[in-house]
Amino acid sequence: MSPRTKEQNDAIREMRMNQIMRAAAEVYLEKGIQLEVRDVAVKAELGYGTVYHYYKNKLMLLEDLLWDALNRTESAVLPVIQGDGGGLLKAESFSKLLLQSCIQDPSVFILLKTVADNFHHFPGNRFSKLFAEFQQRVYLPFAGMIREGTDTRLSEQRANLIFGSLVGYAALNIHHNMRSEMDADGIVDMIFSGIRSKESKGNGHT
């Protein structure tokens, strides 16, 4: 039997990494920061030694999971960020994509929930760079859309409120196994209809 080529080894590595990442996300939803590398190996149906070969401890594993989730999150909302227009309509489209990504990809939900919790489960400043990158690549573009479409005095407060509402709604559904019933468009429409109503009243419209 001839030895594997570099390309074959790279393909196997990528397959294993994806398998481990999917399992880590599932275990994290069940156990939170209490997860262990051994738990991930069991969920992935891989030997402990195989997973340990890639990750010597759970913080290394979670760090990779969250960085990968950041890239996935940015990819999901990039069409809106790079698209034409602005204001609340653009922010609403952004929010729908973000919530849909939470439904479809547990790692995206874990990232958003971890950011919303300010990484308080994680030791030291290990994730400060990740937080800064999330702000720059995801949150600040969203906050800018809100600023364009609302009273600037309240734009940051509203951006935080919307972000927190999306994370909270996703958490409620994910932890009760209701993902298939989640109406992402409906919940975002409800949030933004309230904001548009307040803006209209604030501008003297009826």
Side-chain angles (χ1 to χ4, degrees):
M1 187 175 186
S2 59
R4 288 195 295 258
T5 64
K6 180 182 182 300
E7 290 74 17
Q8 288 172 324
N9 284 329
D10 289 345
I12 290 171
R13 175 181 170 80
E14 183 177 358
M15 180 183 69
R16 285 280 183 265
M17 294 290 285
N18 289 337
Q19 196 173 354
I20 292 168
M21 289 293 105
R22 287 194 301 270
E26 290 180 31
V27 174
Y28 190 90
L29 289 180
E30 297 168 3
K31 297 190 173 186
I33 196 65
Q34 301 304 318
L35 103 168
E36 297 294 342
V37 174
R38 191 175 300 277
D39 301 323
V40 176
V42 171
K43 181 70 74 172
E45 299 182 343
L46 294 170
Y48 174 69
T50 300
V51 179
Y52 188 77
H53 171 74
Y54 294 104
Y55 297 105
K56 304 304 182 188
N57 60 63
K58 67 181 181 183
L59 286 179
M60 290 175 62
L61 174 54
L62 288 171
E63 192 167 9
D64 257 17
L65 175 70
L66 292 175
W67 276 106
D68 184 59
L70 174 58
N71 292 331
R72 291 172 184 268
T73 303
E74 183 182 37
S75 294
V77 298
L78 204 57
V80 174
I81 293 175
Q82 295 180 339
D84 295 331
L88 284 182
L89 190 61
K90 192 170 185 177
E92 187 171 353
S93 297
F94 179 104
S95 298
K96 289 178 179 179
L97 289 178
L98 199 63
L99 188 52
Q100 287 164 0
S101 295
C102 278
I103 301 168
Q104 297 163 1
D105 189 338
S107 67
V108 170
F109 167 72
I110 292 167
L111 171 68
L112 299 184
K113 181 69 165 59
T114 304
V115 169
D117 291 341
N118 200 27
F119 294 87
H120 77 271
H121 291 305
F122 296 90
N125 295 319
R126 186 183 185 106
F127 293 89
S128 58
K129 183 179 179 181
L130 174 64
F131 179 73
E133 286 287 313
F134 177 85
Q135 291 287 100
Q136 188 66 35
R137 292 159 58 180
V138 179
Y139 182 77
L140 290 179
F142 173 63
M145 298 171 201
I146 299 295
R147 191 178 303 111
E148 287 180 26
T150 65
D151 185 331
T152 54
R153 295 170 301 169
L154 301 173
S155 60
E156 185 173 352
Q157 180 186 33
R158 285 177 175 168
N160 288 335
L161 176 63
I162 295 166
F163 180 75
S165 298
L166 297 176
V167 174
Y169 187 76
L172 181 66
N173 283 266
I174 287 170
H175 290 307
H176 288 82
N177 297 315
M178 296 166 57
R179 291 185 218 186
S180 61
E181 302 172 24
M182 184 186 286
D183 179 10
D185 288 357
I187 193 67
V188 172
D189 286 342
M190 183 173 65
I191 292 170
F192 278 84
S193 65
I195 293 174
R196 282 192 291 268
S197 176
K198 287 183 182 295
E199 283 297 304
S200 295
K201 290 178 182 178
N203 292 329
H205 300 305
T206 57

